[in-house]
Amino acid sequence: MRLVLPRLYVILDAALITSPERDCAISLAEAGVRLLQYRNKFASARQLLKSSRELAETLRPHRVSLFVNDRPDVAFLAGATGVHVGQDDLDVEQARRVIGCDKLVGVSTHNLEQFERAAASSADYIAVGPVYSTSTKADPDPVVGVDFLRRVRALTDKPIVAIGGITLERAAAVIEAGADCVAVISGILSAPDPRERARQYIKTLEAAKHAAAV
């Protein structure tokens, strides 16, 4: 059965969260967010596991899926839904051997070669980006643009997650181009009211979904 992702995928980047991580996660869950990724590039392995486990336990009653960035071992031990790996991490099959077949594995891609390799792998979803320029990475990959989404949509039935510079105003165009889901970091975490901004994204993305289906 094809995996169906929620339209909004919020990445909880520890470097951008201004409130306690647990409080931020609960607030987003109450806003209707059903898919979160925890990313903390600077935590020790012990601290990453502690935080990931707390988030997984907190979000489970809210029926929110939690992915851990980079670390399949931590995702497994924390009881997370799955792991998201990048091009410099373990590859999809290696990550799956660590996390197990009953968990999900997502992978980031930044060009056609990487996308085709991900499509041929056992990845459950494929992230594509940056679609637009982004400031959340110190050394971002080249912008791929909306046209690239249209191009790769025809190459796989796997869910495609668009990421990178997707503001509220750009979100609908990304869905219309073929993305199943939109990943957002600063567009929500840096907003004056992240909970309200998440609601706005969900409303916009659902409207775009219905428009694309007509």
Side-chain angles (χ1 to χ4, degrees), residues 102-209:
D102 59 335
K103 301 289 186 178
L104 301 178
V105 179
V107 59
S108 291
T109 64
H110 313 292
N111 57 49
L112 184 59
E113 180 184 355
Q114 292 172 3
F115 187 92
E116 290 176 335
R117 189 162 56 244
S121 76
S122 68
D124 295 288
Y125 71 82
I126 306 171
V128 175
V131 179
Y132 302 98
S133 61
T134 176
S135 60
T136 54
K137 282 198 172 183
D139 186 22
D141 290 275
V143 169
V144 299
V146 174
D147 287 342
F148 184 76
L149 284 174
R150 295 191 180 95
R151 182 181 180 188
V152 298
R153 176 69 281 173
L155 302 180
T156 185
D157 289 331
K158 295 179 187 288
I160 293 176
V161 177
I163 186 171
I166 304 174
T167 62
L168 187 60
E169 294 75 20
R170 293 166 169 167
V174 173
I175 294 296
E176 291 162 5
D180 297 276
C181 175
V182 169
V184 181
I185 308 174
S186 60
I188 288 176
L189 298 184
S190 298
D193 185 343
R195 183 187 339 211
E196 180 56 30
R197 183 56 57 85
R199 288 195 184 105
Q200 292 171 347
Y201 266 96
I202 292 170
K203 182 178 179 180
T204 297
L205 292 168
E206 286 302 318
K209 168 189 172 183

Side-chain angles (χ1 to χ4, degrees), residues 13-71:
D13 191 325
L16 294 178
I17 299 173
T18 56
S19 60
E21 294 168 349
R22 181 178 180 277
D23 293 349
C24 182
I26 290 174
S27 178
L28 292 172
E30 290 174 347
V33 176
R34 291 295 172 263
L35 182 57
L36 291 170
Q37 179 189 138
Y38 181 55
R39 184 165 85 179
N40 192 333
K41 298 288 189 179
F42 304 106
S44 65
R46 185 184 297 274
Q47 183 57 49
L48 182 63
L49 174 58
K50 181 176 182 292
S51 297
S52 299
R53 180 177 285 145
E54 288 176 350
L55 285 172
E57 292 173 353
T58 296
L59 293 169
R60 196 168 292 119
H62 295 274
R63 297 183 179 179
V64 176
S65 298
L66 178 71
F67 283 75
V68 174
N69 183 259
D70 294 349
R71 297 288 299 269

